[in-house]
Amino acid sequence: MEKNYRAELTGVFGDPVEGNPTGVMEEAAYEALGLNFRYITMKVTPDGFPDAMKAVRAIHMKGVNLTMPHKIKVLPYLDELSPAAKIIGAVNTVVVREDGTLFGENTDGKGFVEALLRCGESPEGKNIVILGAGGAARAIAVECALAGARKITVVNRTAQRARELADLIRSETACEAVAAGWEAGQGIPQDTDILINATSIGLGEDRANRPDIDYDTIRPGMTVSDVVFNPSNTLFLQAAAERGAKTVNGLGMLACQGARNFTLWTGRDAPLSVMIDKLKEEFGEGQDTSL
Ligand code: NDP
């Protein structure tokens, strides 16, 4: 049989993109299954984005992830959106179908819900408080609502963005949603089942910080989750664990959304444990990584 030297191409477009760890995780998964796929981390500025989207078809990529600042700008280039991506209004994963059409999905929120389920928690019937109203919060809120959450409270520094997200949830899903501004040292309502930090507080260089809430209002029985994955055991999660809450870190969400991308592009079940181990190698450093 003639040898095939051509690899199937996937990757990510973003700017900045240097610190994006998805590539190491996807490539570890491709290797584990012996697939001739590559994942390239590519710097694409807004000016270059139209050409980059043309290249997706021209070089016959299998698909591409989008990160800042392209998740919304990509919408006009797509032929079809998943129902959740349509509501969220942003796409992080594009799949090039056999006929060359482009399908857009948002796997961030689905990855979050899946990571929760893997840790024995479900959004169904639960009261959820989300800190933040940016892209990650939006994807998480929509997927939790679609997964049957009872009520979502959005707490955000910029109150207008919190109101917009709560309005979106109420108008597009059956879930109750309210918005709140963020007062320093604010307490968490005592009927909260799941508390999520979906802000970038605590990320990277900001690791000595944590969201300004009254941590003594966190009680055993609550599940507390952070989207920040670097570091994985954030001060936010440490404070919640000290109060007896169950914690779910951001690596689970990252791995689970990566596993969904993998399946969308390859049609194969993802080797999730390989992907989690790779992320632990990158960020875990012996910390509790929840998964
Ligand atoms: P956005 O820029 O869209 O949103 C940032 C959010 O954080 C906003 O709600 C913003 O509030 C809030 N915020 C930032 N700084 C502060 C502060 N000092 N005090 C209070 N609120 C603050 O970012 P994303 O939603 O895309 O990303 C958020 C985080 O999610 C990042 O850490 C990112 O790495 C992580 N993430 C993790 C994923 C995973 O798989 N684990 C996947 C995707 C993202 P305001 O509206 O007032 O500006």
Coordinates of all heavy atoms in Angstrom, one line a residue, residues 207 229-233 249 251 276-290:
R207 N -2.3 34.9 40.5 CA -2.6 33.8 41.4 C -2.7 34.1 42.9 O -3.3 33.3 43.6 CB -1.6 32.6 41.1 CG -0.2 32.9 41.6 CD 0.7 31.8 41.2 NE 0.7 31.6 39.7 CZ 0.8 30.4 39.1 NH1 1.0 29.3 39.9 NH2 0.9 30.3 37.8
F229 N -7.5 27.4 35.4 CA -6.8 26.2 35.4 C -5.3 26.3 35.7 O -4.6 25.3 35.8 CB -7.1 25.3 34.1 CG -6.7 26.1 32.9 CD1 -5.4 26.1 32.4 CD2 -7.7 26.7 32.1 CE1 -5.1 26.8 31.3 CE2 -7.4 27.4 31.0 CZ -6.1 27.4 30.5
N230 N -4.9 27.6 35.6 CA -3.4 27.8 35.9 C -3.2 28.9 36.8 O -3.3 30.1 36.4 CB -2.8 28.1 34.5 CG -1.3 28.4 34.7 OD1 -0.7 28.0 35.7 ND2 -0.7 29.2 33.8
P231 N -3.1 28.6 38.1 CA -2.9 27.3 38.7 C -4.2 26.6 38.9 O -5.3 27.2 38.8 CB -2.3 27.7 40.1 CG -3.0 29.0 40.5 CD -3.1 29.7 39.2
S232 N -4.1 25.2 39.1 CA -5.3 24.4 39.1 C -6.0 24.5 40.5 O -7.2 24.5 40.7 CB -5.1 23.0 38.8 OG -4.1 22.4 39.6
N233 N -5.1 24.6 41.6 CA -5.7 24.7 42.9 C -5.7 26.1 43.4 O -4.8 26.5 44.1 CB -4.9 23.8 43.9 CG -5.6 23.5 45.2 OD1 -6.8 23.8 45.3 ND2 -4.9 23.1 46.2
N249 N -12.0 21.7 39.9 CA -11.1 22.8 39.3 C -11.3 22.9 37.8 O -12.0 22.2 37.2 CB -9.7 22.5 39.7 CG -9.1 21.2 39.0 OD1 -9.6 20.9 37.9 ND2 -8.2 20.6 39.6
L251 N -9.2 22.4 35.4 CA -8.6 21.4 34.5 C -9.6 20.4 33.9 O -9.5 20.0 32.7 CB -7.5 20.6 35.2 CG -6.2 21.3 35.5 CD1 -5.2 20.4 36.1 CD2 -5.6 22.0 34.2
I276 N -6.2 14.3 30.6 CA -6.1 14.8 31.9 C -4.7 14.7 32.5 O -4.1 15.6 33.0 CB -7.1 14.1 32.8 CG1 -8.5 14.5 32.5 CG2 -6.8 14.4 34.3 CD1 -9.6 13.7 33.1
D277 N -4.1 13.5 32.2 CA -2.7 13.3 32.7 C -1.7 14.3 32.1 O -0.8 14.9 32.7 CB -2.2 11.9 32.3 CG -2.8 10.9 33.2 OD1 -3.5 11.3 34.2 OD2 -2.7 9.7 32.9
K278 N -2.0 14.7 30.8 CA -1.1 15.6 30.1 C -1.3 17.0 30.8 O -0.3 17.7 31.0 CB -1.5 15.7 28.6 CG -0.4 16.4 27.8 CD 0.9 15.6 27.7 CE 2.0 16.5 27.2 NZ 3.3 15.8 27.3
L279 N -2.5 17.4 31.1 CA -2.7 18.7 31.7 C -2.2 18.7 33.1 O -1.6 19.7 33.5 CB -4.2 19.0 31.7 CG -4.9 19.3 30.4 CD1 -6.4 19.5 30.6 CD2 -4.3 20.5 29.8
K280 N -2.3 17.6 33.8 CA -1.7 17.6 35.2 C -0.2 17.8 35.1 O 0.4 18.4 35.9 CB -2.0 16.2 35.9 CG -3.4 16.1 36.4 CD -3.6 14.8 37.1 CE -5.0 14.6 37.7 NZ -5.2 13.3 38.2
E281 N 0.4 17.1 34.1 CA 1.8 17.3 33.9 C 2.2 18.8 33.6 O 3.2 19.3 34.1 CB 2.2 16.5 32.6 CG 3.6 15.9 32.5 CD 3.7 15.2 31.2 OE1 3.0 14.1 31.1 OE2 4.4 15.6 30.3
E282 N 1.3 19.5 32.9 CA 1.6 20.9 32.6 C 1.3 21.8 33.7 O 2.1 22.7 34.0 CB 0.7 21.3 31.4 CG 1.0 20.7 30.1 CD 2.4 21.1 29.5 OE1 2.7 22.2 29.5 OE2 3.1 20.1 29.0
F283 N 0.2 21.6 34.5 CA -0.2 22.5 35.5 C -0.4 22.0 36.9 O -0.5 22.7 37.8 CB -1.6 23.1 35.1 CG -1.6 23.8 33.8 CD1 -2.3 23.3 32.7 CD2 -0.9 25.0 33.6 CE1 -2.3 23.9 31.5 CE2 -0.9 25.6 32.4 CZ -1.6 25.1 31.3
G284 N -0.6 20.6 37.0 CA -1.0 20.1 38.3 C 0.1 20.1 39.4 O -0.2 20.5 40.5
E285 N 1.3 19.7 39.0 CA 2.4 19.7 40.0 C 2.0 19.2 41.3 O 2.2 19.8 42.4 CB 2.9 21.2 40.1 CG 3.4 21.7 38.8 CD 4.5 22.7 38.9 OE1 4.7 23.2 40.0 OE2 5.1 23.0 37.9
G286 N 1.3 18.0 41.3 CA 1.0 17.4 42.6 C -0.1 18.0 43.3 O -0.5 17.5 44.4
Q287 N -0.7 19.1 42.8 CA -1.9 19.6 43.5 C -3.1 18.8 43.3 O -3.1 18.0 42.4 CB -2.2 21.0 43.0 CG -1.1 22.0 43.2 CD -1.2 23.2 42.2 OE1 -1.9 23.1 41.2 NE2 -0.4 24.2 42.5
D288 N -4.1 19.0 44.2 CA -5.3 18.3 44.0 C -6.0 18.7 42.7 O -6.3 19.9 42.5 CB -6.3 18.5 45.1 CG -7.7 18.0 44.8 OD1 -7.8 17.1 44.0 OD2 -8.6 18.5 45.4
T289 N -6.2 17.9 41.7 CA -6.8 18.3 40.4 C -8.2 17.8 40.3 O -8.7 17.9 39.2 CB -5.9 17.8 39.3 OG1 -5.7 16.5 39.4 CG2 -4.6 18.6 39.2
S290 N -8.8 17.4 41.3 CA -10.2 17.1 41.3 C -10.6 15.8 40.5 O -11.5 15.1 40.8 CB -11.2 18.2 40.9 OG -11.0 19.3 41.7

